[in-house]
Coordinates of all heavy atoms in Angstrom, one line a residue:
T30 N -1.7 4.6 2.1 CA -2.0 5.7 1.2 C -1.4 7.0 1.8 O -1.1 7.1 3.0 CB -3.6 5.8 1.1 OG1 -3.8 6.8 0.1 CG2 -4.2 6.2 2.4
D31 N -1.3 8.0 0.9 CA -1.0 9.3 1.2 C -2.2 10.2 1.0 O -2.0 11.5 1.0 CB 0.2 9.7 0.5 CG 0.1 9.9 -1.0 OD1 -1.0 9.6 -1.5 OD2 0.9 10.3 -1.6
G32 N -3.4 9.7 0.8 CA -4.6 10.4 0.4 C -4.8 10.6 -1.1 O -5.9 11.0 -1.5
N62 N 6.1 16.0 -1.9 CA 5.8 15.9 -0.5 C 7.0 15.6 0.4 O 6.8 15.2 1.6 CB 4.7 14.9 -0.2 CG 3.4 15.3 -0.8 OD1 3.0 16.4 -0.4 ND2 2.8 14.6 -1.6
L65 N 7.3 12.2 2.4 CA 6.6 12.0 3.6 C 5.1 11.9 3.3 O 4.6 12.6 2.4 CB 6.9 13.2 4.6 CG 8.3 13.3 5.0 CD1 8.5 14.6 5.8 CD2 8.8 12.1 5.8
V66 N 4.4 11.1 4.1 CA 3.0 11.0 4.0 C 2.4 12.2 4.8 O 2.6 12.3 6.0 CB 2.4 9.6 4.5 CG1 0.9 9.7 4.5 CG2 2.9 8.5 3.6
P67 N 1.6 13.0 4.1 CA 1.0 14.2 4.9 C 0.0 13.8 5.9 O -0.6 12.7 5.7 CB 0.5 15.1 3.8 CG 0.3 14.2 2.6 CD 1.2 13.1 2.7
P68 N -0.2 14.5 6.9 CA -1.3 14.1 7.9 C -2.7 14.2 7.2 O -2.9 15.0 6.3 CB -1.2 15.2 9.0 CG -0.3 16.2 8.5 CD 0.5 15.8 7.3
M69 N -3.6 13.3 7.6 CA -4.9 13.3 7.0 C -5.9 13.3 8.2 O -5.6 12.8 9.3 CB -5.2 12.0 6.2 CG -4.6 12.1 4.9 SD -5.1 10.6 4.0 CE -3.9 9.4 4.5
E70 N -7.1 14.0 8.0 CA -8.1 14.0 8.8 C -8.7 12.6 9.0 O -8.7 11.8 8.0 CB -9.2 14.9 8.4 CG -8.8 16.4 8.4 CD -8.6 16.9 9.7 OE1 -9.4 16.5 10.7 OE2 -7.7 17.8 9.8
P71 N -9.1 12.2 10.2 CA -9.6 10.9 10.4 C -10.8 10.5 9.5 O -11.0 9.5 9.0 CB -10.1 10.9 11.9 CG -9.1 11.8 12.5 CD -8.9 12.9 11.5
R73 N -11.2 11.5 6.4 CA -10.7 11.1 5.1 C -10.2 9.8 5.1 O -10.3 9.0 4.1 CB -9.6 12.2 4.7 CG -8.9 11.9 3.4 CD -9.9 12.0 2.2 NE -9.2 11.8 1.0 CZ -9.8 11.1 0.0 NH1 -11.0 10.8 0.0 NH2 -9.1 10.9 -1.2
I74 N -9.5 9.3 6.2 CA -9.0 8.0 6.3 C -10.2 7.0 6.2 O -10.1 6.0 5.5 CB -8.1 7.8 7.5 CG1 -6.9 8.7 7.5 CG2 -7.8 6.3 7.8 CD1 -6.2 8.7 8.8

Side-chain angles (χ1 to χ4, degrees):
T30 188
D31 64 357
N62 286 308
L65 299 171
V66 174
M69 278 188 279
E70 294 291 323
R73 178 66 177 142
I74 295 170

